[in-house]
Amino acid sequence: MANPVSAAIHQCRLFFIALQFFTRLPIPRWVGFEPAWLQHASRYFPLVGVVVATISGAVYLLASWLLPSAVAVLLAVAAGIYLTGAFHEDGFADMCDGFGGGLTRERVLEIMKDSRIGAYGAIGILCLLAIKCAALASLPPATVVATLLIAHPLSRLAAVSLIWAMDYARDEGKAKPMAQEMTTGEFIIAAVCGLLPAIACGLLGIFYWATLVFAIVAAAAAAFWLGRKCQRRLQGYTGDCLGAVQQVAEVAIYLAILSSFQPPLRFY
């Protein structure tokens, strides 16, 4: 029987490995590194989202004391991009270029591997960031931090669902080390990490449960829609696909939460 203390330390190591892989943040030296750990670290990808959301939320709170909410939102989004090294935004732009300009599986993969950004990627990322910032700036200021804490882990859970449900489409790539088969148990850990902030917001009364369910459904729909596209065009997913799912699911969550604050349309 495994020592509980050793097992807990191992789980901490997996979390820090995920944090190092998906962000610029430093990790303690005692963590060390073994290639096998990276294969199991994706279970904590949603928990990395909690860290990114916490820092982005702190930036928003500090900025909103002195600046308008829209400017604070821009700074918070910029902080999140800096923390992650635009890892996910780059994946979204690459997927826009690949799926927009490639007609065959091989050509799509070739375009997505190119480090240069094309028209589809440039237009896509500009529209995505504009929608993201506009949606957050349109929310009541008191709910922005809670929305970030819901969207970042939940959107990363949406990305993790592709690792769990699909095969990796390349023989090699930046996500290949984390693209080993994900067990159901590991996905359950990821699901708990991704859903807990939303559940906490519901229990604290920050959002109605219906709003939270709508946000979860929006993230799931984004993952399902893009996952089907990836399966049909690539017969699997790549690291760029994971980044695209995370970004689209994040925006979908923002729009779902924002819609709950809008009065219903009246046609009479």
Side-chain angles (χ1 to χ4, degrees):
M1 186 174 180
N3 186 328
V5 175
S6 298
I9 292 174
H10 179 63
Q11 295 304 312
C12 286
R13 282 196 169 101
L14 293 181
F15 164 69
F16 281 122
I17 292 298
L19 189 68
Q20 184 182 50
F21 188 85
F22 288 112
T23 73
R24 298 172 181 265
L25 295 172
I27 63 172
R29 291 185 178 181
W30 61 263
V31 173
F33 177 78
E34 289 185 15
W37 295 347
L38 196 54
Q39 299 174 11
H40 302 287
S42 56
R43 70 183 72 175
Y44 291 118
F45 187 21
L47 195 56
V48 172
V50 175
V51 175
V52 174
T54 300
I55 296 174
S56 297
V59 170
Y60 174 82
L61 286 176
L62 290 172
S64 63
W65 285 347
L66 300 173
L67 301 167
S69 179
V71 179
V73 163
L74 285 170
L75 291 173
V77 170
I81 292 173
Y82 176 77
L83 283 173
T84 59
F87 197 48
H88 313 304
E89 289 81 3
D90 178 64
F92 173 80
D94 286 343
M95 187 172 174
C96 287
D97 279 333
F99 280 56
L103 297 178
T104 65
R105 177 181 184 272
E106 291 71 23
R107 182 57 179 155
V108 172
L109 290 172
E110 181 183 351
I111 293 173
M112 289 169 67
K113 195 172 183 179
D114 193 333
S115 60
R116 294 170 297 180
I117 186 170
Y120 288 106
I123 294 169
I125 197 65
L126 285 173
C127 290
L128 180 103
L129 290 175
I131 295 171
K132 185 185 295 189
C133 292
L136 285 171
S138 299
L139 287 168
T143 66
V144 171
V145 173
T147 299
L148 291 171
L149 285 169
I150 292 170
H152 277 281
L154 197 55
S155 62
R156 284 160 173 78
L157 174 60
V160 165
S161 68
L162 267 65
I163 301 177
W164 177 57
M166 297 168 59
D167 296 322
Y168 195 66
R170 295 185 188 274
D171 294 329
E172 58 182 16
K174 58 188 177 184
K176 181 65 174 178
M178 302 192 78
Q180 308 301 316
E181 183 177 351
M182 188 180 205
T183 66
T184 300
E186 289 175 323
F187 181 72
I188 290 173
I189 293 174
V192 170
C193 294
L195 292 170
L196 269 180
I199 294 172
C201 286
L203 292 174
L204 293 172
I206 299 174
F207 293 113
Y208 291 118
W209 287 107
T211 298
L212 297 173
V213 170
F214 190 25
I216 293 169
V217 170
F224 179 76
W225 176 58
L226 286 178
R228 284 195 65 183
K229 282 186 173 294
C230 293
Q231 188 61 40
R232 186 169 62 250
R233 298 289 299 276
L234 304 177
Q235 288 78 58
Y237 71 92
T238 68
D240 291 328
C241 297
L242 297 181
V245 169
Q246 188 278 319
Q247 287 292 292
V248 174
E250 183 183 340
V251 169
I253 293 165
Y254 294 152
L255 295 177
I257 293 176
L258 176 61
S259 68
S260 69
F261 290 98
Q262 305 306 306
L265 290 175
R266 295 183 181 273
F267 297 99
Y268 56 87

